[in-house]
Amino acid sequence: MARRRIIAGNWKMNMTPSEAVALCGTLKDLVKNDAVDVVYCVPAIDIVPVVEAVKGSNVHVGAENFYIEDKGAFTGEISAPMLKDAGVEYIIIGHSERRDIFGENDVLINSKVKKAFASGLKPILCCGESLALRKAGTYKEWITRQITWDLDGITADQVKELVIAYEPIWAIGTGETASADQAEEVCGLIRELIAKLYDQATADAVRIQYGGSMNAGNAAELLSKPNIDGGLIGGASLKPDFGKIVNA
Ligand code: 13P
């Protein structure tokens, strides 16, 4: 089954609003590709100017974080209705930086996946193991547990619209990329798990990205693998190189 490729930038905590608009201008012609879903996941303060800057182009806008309530006394948080109203389509959930630095656990992450679907946002659900788990050889069990918990109560129809990003923590921002075979092994495992938890049609439909030091030099090989449908890109999404990844 042909799945549509999805190349998403995760800008993390980079780009002031004016820098964000300038970057959109730099990338505008470089990221043109009608066969690929191109997404910029940007800091909350950049959402409004970025939505405006990419209007009329093939670029979709995503957010990096949100909270599960619609409104109220949650100082510092941003809600799904706020994101929707601003023109956001995708939402990153469960990134290892949110899990490790901000203490988000699988219960909260599962609630966020539910809330995103209920609000009409498309989740990009992240999973991935630490270097210690990779070395211990227990990474498959870890990924299985993360995905099983994070998708608790999520329907097959919803999973068909889901994007899962496999991001080994040891490859994030380190310059050390998982080899294409290592990435394919886990992305294939995730697809098998979805077939077990749901059914084959759902497993065939879910899109799975690799993330972790993906760049213009290694993207084509990673994306050539049958179970890798796209990339979630940090550092290289802030540079003209992002266009080369979109067109790899
Ligand atoms: P890098 O591409 O900078 O390694 O970051 C990957 C990532 O965490 C994307 O979410």
Side-chain angles (χ1 to χ4, degrees):
M1 178 185 167
R3 289 175 293 269
R4 196 173 155 81
R5 185 174 285 183
I6 176 164
I7 302 292
N10 174 7
W11 289 9
K12 307 194 179 184
M13 197 172 74
N14 295 293
M15 299 286 134
T16 65
S18 43
E19 288 168 345
V21 171
L23 180 61
C24 290
T26 303
L27 293 179
K28 193 170 193 285
D29 291 331
L30 304 175
V31 299
K32 278 191 183 146
N33 186 333
D34 289 341
V36 176
D37 286 337
V38 179
V39 186
Y40 298 166
C41 298
V42 307
I45 197 163
D46 295 339
I47 288 169
V48 170
V50 167
V51 166
E52 187 60 34
V54 302
K55 217 168 247 172
S57 79
N58 62 321
V59 174
H60 303 263
V61 178
E64 300 177 17
N65 188 33
F66 78 123
Y67 190 56
I68 52 176
E69 299 294 339
D70 282 346
K71 59 178 172 175
F74 304 98
T75 302
E77 293 298 322
I78 188 161
S79 73
M82 292 172 184
L83 296 177
K84 279 291 288 182
D85 187 61
V88 167
E89 291 175 67
Y90 290 87
I91 176 77
I92 296 175
I93 299 176
H95 193 280
S96 60
E97 288 150 19
R98 300 281 336 154
R99 294 177 190 259
D100 294 348
I101 305 171
F102 301 101
E104 293 196 12
N105 62 25
D106 290 293
V107 174
L108 177 62
I109 290 164
N110 174 245
S111 303
K112 288 188 170 190
V113 175
K114 286 180 176 148
K115 183 67 186 181
F117 277 122
S119 309
L121 294 168
K122 296 176 192 150
I124 299 176
L125 172 64
C126 303
C127 62
E129 81 284 1
S130 64
L131 184 59
L133 290 174
R134 167 64 54 170
K135 283 187 171 158
T138 53
Y139 58 98
K140 292 183 190 170
E141 291 82 352
W142 176 261
I143 303 288
T144 300
R145 204 175 63 186
Q146 281 187 323
I147 298 290
T148 305
W149 283 356
D150 296 346
L151 295 185
D152 184 49
I154 304 299
T155 67
D157 281 347
Q158 289 172 328
V159 175
K160 288 186 178 114
E161 300 297 316
L162 180 70
V163 178
I164 298 176
Y166 168 55
E167 299 207 311
I169 297 168
W170 47 273
I172 295 178
T174 58
E176 185 181 345
T177 322
S179 70
D181 286 341
Q182 285 174 321
E184 169 65 12
E185 181 196 37
V186 177
C187 292
L189 170 98
I190 293 169
R191 201 175 304 285
E192 277 171 32
L193 175 64
I194 297 298
K196 266 187 231 151
L197 294 174
Y198 297 91
D199 50 54
Q200 194 58 46
T202 306
D204 288 342
V206 67
R207 292 189 290 177
I208 304 176
Q209 296 173 316
Y210 167 76
S213 300
M214 197 188 252
N215 58 42
N218 59 29
E221 193 190 355
L222 286 157
L223 294 169
S224 73
K225 294 293 180 183
N227 285 299
I228 302 179
D229 306 313
L232 184 56
I233 294 103
S237 71
L238 304 171
K239 300 188 260 186
D241 264 10
F242 190 64
K244 295 195 183 126
I245 301 174
V246 168
N247 289 292

